[in-house]
Amino acid sequence: MIDPALLREDPDRVVANFAQRGLAVDFRKQVAEFADLDKQLRKLNKQEEDLRASRNQLSRQIGEMMHGSKQDTGQLQQHASKIGEQIENLHQDVVELKAAAQAICYHWPNLLHDEVPPGKSEQDNKVLRKEGKLPKYDFDARDHVELGKIHSLLDFDSAGVMAKARFVVIMDTFARLHRALGQFMLDMHVKQHGYHECNVPLLVNTKALTHTGQLPKFASDDEFFSAKSDDLHLIPTAEVSLVNIAAGRLFSEEELPLKLAAHSLCFRREAGSYGKDTRGMLRQHQFEKVELVQIVHPDHSYSAWEKLIADAERILQKLRLPYQVVELCAADVGHAAARTVDLEVWLPGQNSYREISSCSNDTDYQARRMKTSLRSKPKNRLVHTLNGSGVAVGRALIAVLENYQDAQGNIAIPEVLQPYMDGLTRIEIP
């Protein structure tokens, strides 16, 4: 949610910023509707405030009369009672107006940072730099699906029978490698990057998803796997659970930054609608990733964001995986984010870079929704929230399998993962 004061002061700026995203929504009309509701709301709030002040004055007067000359206060008490009824009726109007205004603005995205590049689709994203050398083979590189068949360690058929398409059973040494990747990432972020390890709920309620911006944005898309009778939804990312740890809190400067990390399962319905991504493990309904979240001082959020990106990059550097750093254009930045950089790892089996981490600065968008502030003078300030994948475990497995293959299909194990694999250096074809 964006600052209502900005809507009052410069609505044209807000409309122009939203328009950069290329969304097919009449924001000018919505902003005007919100402004009208906001004007009514402030008027009612002032009336309610004046009535409460009058009632408080009457209460003091009644108290003084009863304590002093024992005068009859019945008429004043009746007047105070009527004011109370007026306050109650007015408050109900305030609640309804707030709900109407919230129904409009809760669908709005965050304001984009001024340095976000313009663009109409992901094709306009800006490659900032490339890191690492691409592997050179004297054979045709296999993708992870072919490697899985050679080793008989990726079973899509059984997963499809017990669940549906877009699931997989990972077996034996591939499963150990997958587990090793997640453990390595978590160890790096906790021991070297200073994050607090968290084990978080995989099911969250509607309020938690609303705090982080997934709702009401994706409500009509049936984005989540849900147990609606319990008002619980499987998380699409551990960002939801980690950010909500800070919900409603008032932080001191000494408590910030709060850096949190979790290795979790994630669940999304979106899988299967992206053409070539329907093959193999690249986009699934269930996957794992290590998520990084930071709650930071608003003056330090962009320096913290750059450090968070570096934390995610360090994982790929340690694994010796080639990757590129990409700034998302206006049309591709996520709903809650003001600015986003993706890390895209090289996949020889696809002969292309694919996203493995997305690092966003959500500024005060989530903090305003969940009422999370920094104690400050002359008045408290909203904190800023950052999130990033550090990194997607399944996609890291794909990248290791494809980048470390040989002509026969054997897989070398990256040096940093060997201690997690009991010293194993290669996964040989059986």
Side-chain angles (χ1 to χ4, degrees), residues 184-352:
F184 158 69
M185 294 172 199
L186 201 55
D187 283 349
M188 277 283 293
H189 293 311
V190 171
K191 295 178 182 178
Q192 297 189 31
H193 299 157
Y195 290 82
H196 297 281
E197 181 177 350
C198 303
N199 189 306
V200 297
L202 302 183
L203 286 159
V204 297
N205 57 32
T206 297
K207 187 176 183 180
L209 287 166
T210 303
H211 283 164
T212 49
Q214 279 83 9
L215 291 176
K217 160 70 175 170
F218 296 111
S220 61
D221 300 333
D222 199 20
E223 174 84 356
F224 313 107
F225 291 99
S226 303
K228 292 181 180 178
S229 60
D230 296 304
D231 185 31
L232 289 173
H233 314 269
L234 287 166
I235 58 171
T237 165
E239 171 201 344
V240 177
S241 304
L242 291 173
V243 168
N244 273 278
I245 290 173
R249 290 180 61 179
L250 177 61
F251 288 94
S252 66
E253 288 201 21
E254 293 73 27
E255 293 176 295
L256 299 181
L258 177 60
K259 301 169 66 175
L260 308 172
H263 175 196
S264 79
L265 287 163
C266 306
F267 305 87
R268 296 183 187 175
R269 287 188 183 274
E270 66 179 2
S273 60
Y274 292 81
K276 63 185 177 183
D277 287 359
T278 59
R279 177 173 169 81
M281 290 177 57
L282 200 60
R283 192 177 293 274
Q284 296 195 294
H285 293 304
Q286 173 186 304
F287 59 97
E288 293 180 36
K289 65 185 173 80
V290 173
E291 184 71 5
L292 308 176
V293 159
Q294 293 193 28
I295 313 297
V296 303
H297 191 293
D299 293 343
H300 306 151
S301 70
Y302 275 100
S303 59
W305 176 63
E306 291 174 359
K307 178 62 171 64
L308 182 143
I309 295 168
D311 292 341
E313 282 189 72
R314 188 65 176 147
I315 297 298
L316 300 178
Q317 292 163 2
K318 283 285 192 178
L319 292 171
R320 299 184 182 276
L321 293 171
Y323 66 95
Q324 64 182 12
V325 182
V326 180
E327 171 107 23
L328 300 196
C329 73
D332 205 27
V333 173
H335 188 77
R339 194 174 182 188
T340 299
V341 157
D342 279 1
L343 306 182
E344 297 181 349
V345 70
W346 176 253
L347 298 184
Q350 292 199 12
N351 196 38
S352 65

Side-chain angles (χ1 to χ4, degrees), residues 5-17 28 31-32 35:
L6 184 57
L7 288 161
R8 298 174 196 132
E9 297 163 6
D10 197 351
D12 290 340
R13 177 191 164 195
V14 174
V15 171
N17 190 289
R28 188 168 297 280
V31 167

Side-chain angles (χ1 to χ4, degrees), residues 70-112:
K70 309 296 183 181
Q71 298 178 55
D72 182 11
T73 60
Q75 195 169 15
L76 289 179
Q77 287 179 342
Q78 286 181 3
H79 186 34
S81 179
K82 287 181 180 179
I83 292 178
E85 291 175 6
Q86 287 178 284
I87 291 173
E88 187 175 336
N89 293 334
L90 201 60
H91 182 70
Q92 184 58 40
D93 291 340
V94 167
V95 169
E96 291 175 3
L97 274 177
K98 278 185 177 179
Q102 192 176 87
I104 296 174
C105 68
Y106 263 38
H107 284 85
W108 292 344
N110 199 354
L111 293 176
L112 294 168

Side-chain angles (χ1 to χ4, degrees), residues 10-160:
D10 197 351
D12 290 340
R13 177 191 164 195
V14 174
V15 171
N17 190 289
F18 287 167
Q20 294 178 55
R21 293 177 177 266
L23 301 172
V25 179
D26 187 352
F27 285 114
R28 188 168 297 280
K29 179 181 178 182
Q30 289 191 8
V31 167
E33 289 174 353
F34 178 86
D36 182 57
L37 290 169
D38 183 60
K39 184 177 180 180
Q40 295 179 55
L41 187 57
R42 283 185 292 147
K43 181 179 179 181
L44 290 184
N45 278 331
K46 180 64 168 60
Q47 291 176 6
E48 184 178 358
E49 183 181 320
D50 290 345
L51 284 171
R52 289 186 185 278
S54 296
R55 186 174 64 176
N56 290 341
Q57 185 177 359
L58 272 176
S59 296
R60 286 193 296 271
Q61 186 178 350
I62 291 169
E64 290 170 0
M65 290 173 65
M66 293 178 68
H67 184 265
S69 58
K70 309 296 183 181
Q71 298 178 55
D72 182 11
T73 60
Q75 195 169 15
L76 289 179
Q77 287 179 342
Q78 286 181 3
H79 186 34
S81 179
K82 287 181 180 179
I83 292 178
E85 291 175 6
Q86 287 178 284
I87 291 173
E88 187 175 336
N89 293 334
L90 201 60
H91 182 70
Q92 184 58 40
D93 291 340
V94 167
V95 169
E96 291 175 3
L97 274 177
K98 278 185 177 179
Q102 192 176 87
I104 296 174
C105 68
Y106 263 38
H107 284 85
W108 292 344
N110 199 354
L111 293 176
L112 294 168
H113 189 277
D114 291 342
E115 294 185 27
V116 172
K120 297 181 179 180
S121 73
E122 63 180 16
Q123 302 304 318
D124 298 314
N125 292 341
K126 182 180 178 182
V127 177
L128 302 179
R129 53 189 166 83
K130 296 178 184 288
E131 302 289 348
K133 294 182 179 180
L134 302 187
K136 294 182 178 180
Y137 304 119
D138 55 4
F139 58 91
D140 291 334
R142 301 174 177 87
D143 71 2
H144 68 286
V145 177
E146 295 176 273
L147 291 167
K149 287 180 180 177
I150 292 173
H151 288 268
S152 299
L153 296 179
L154 294 180
D155 187 351
F156 297 97
D157 293 337
S158 294

